[in-house]
Amino acid sequence: MDTIIQVKISLRGTKPLIWRRILVEKTSTFETLHEVIQIAMGWTNSHLHEFTAAGVRIGQPLEEFDMDYGEKLIDEATVTLESVLTHGTQTVDYTYDFGDSWEHTLIVEQWLPVDADLQYPICTGGKLNCPPEDCGGIPGFYEMLRIINDKGHPERQEMLEWLGGIYDAKAFDLQEVNQQLTAFFHSS
């Protein structure tokens, strides 16, 4: 029987918590999981990333960055979720952008039977907008919010221009995320 894995993705250090819940096929690779996370969270996939699961580093091997720090980086394109994840609750760490260090906790919430009426991967829920890329990690994100929410702040206009005119911290559009997932994974 085919099985789906339900995963909750939480961006560490955010309060209230910025999170997404996704359903992915157990036969998906970690490379696919990375793409799903990028779309579901709202990242632009413009930085390096890495998973750590059960003490194993999984990511994109890049020879110019593959220094020998003891443990080898396993190629995410060759590792399926079912080969690493186990039934029951398990957590996986996912770091995106080693400069800003967006640290995510992925919690494997449950294993479910395939629903023939759904196309996978799919996002089933979430809260709040993803921080903008290159804003300086969690501290920079909260400083940016403080500046744009203070109408009298001298840097407010410049910050809004950098953001493209607007940033809605509460925005999360489930339908838009799923349209992007469908376009990425199911268009020919």
Side-chain angles (χ1 to χ4, degrees), residues 2-182:
D2 288 338
T3 306
I4 299 303
I5 303 173
Q6 179 177 297
V7 178
K8 183 175 182 182
I9 306 158
S10 301
L11 182 57
R12 289 202 292 261
T14 58
K15 192 173 181 176
L17 192 63
I18 297 171
W19 64 273
R20 306 290 183 265
R21 180 167 285 117
I22 58 169
L23 300 176
V24 293
E25 294 170 288
K26 71 177 182 177
T27 55
S28 299
T29 63
F30 275 84
E31 180 178 51
T32 296
L33 180 59
H34 160 71
E35 297 292 353
V36 174
I37 293 167
Q38 289 290 303
I39 293 168
M41 290 300 292
W43 298 121
T44 62
N45 201 8
S46 18
H47 300 282
L48 297 174
H49 65 277
E50 185 175 293
F51 294 93
T52 306
V56 177
R57 292 175 52 231
I58 303 167
Q60 286 179 306
L62 300 167
E63 287 181 27
E64 63 269 30
F65 295 109
D66 200 15
M67 319 299 180
D68 187 9
Y69 291 118
E71 71 273 358
K72 194 93 173 113
L73 183 70
I74 298 172
D75 185 347
E76 66 187 16
T78 67
V79 182
T80 63
L81 301 182
E82 68 182 338
S83 70
V84 174
L85 305 178
T86 56
H87 283 273
T89 303
Q90 179 177 348
T91 61
V92 174
D93 293 323
Y94 172 78
T95 302
Y96 173 62
D97 183 353
F98 299 126
D100 279 0
S101 291
W102 300 111
E103 302 281 341
H104 304 71
T105 299
L106 282 54
I107 299 175
V108 176
E109 293 183 315
Q110 54 184 327
W111 297 63
L112 302 164
V114 168
D115 181 338
D117 296 331
L118 295 178
Q119 258 190 334
Y120 301 100
I122 189 171
C123 184
T124 61
K127 285 273 192 286
L128 304 174
N129 199 354
C130 183
E133 300 268 349
D134 303 319
C135 70
I138 295 294
F141 173 57
Y142 283 108
E143 176 67 6
M144 179 210 81
L145 289 177
R146 189 182 69 74
I147 291 169
I148 66 172
N149 290 323
D150 178 353
K151 293 195 184 334
H153 197 285
E155 295 173 40
R156 182 173 188 266
Q157 194 54 44
E158 183 182 338
M159 184 67 72
L160 285 170
E161 285 172 21
W162 180 77
L163 289 165
I166 190 167
Y167 175 81
D168 182 355
K170 293 181 173 64
F172 170 67
D173 188 335
L174 181 64
Q175 186 176 348
E176 173 66 22
V177 167
N178 282 318
Q179 286 171 350
Q180 289 179 24
L181 286 169
T182 298

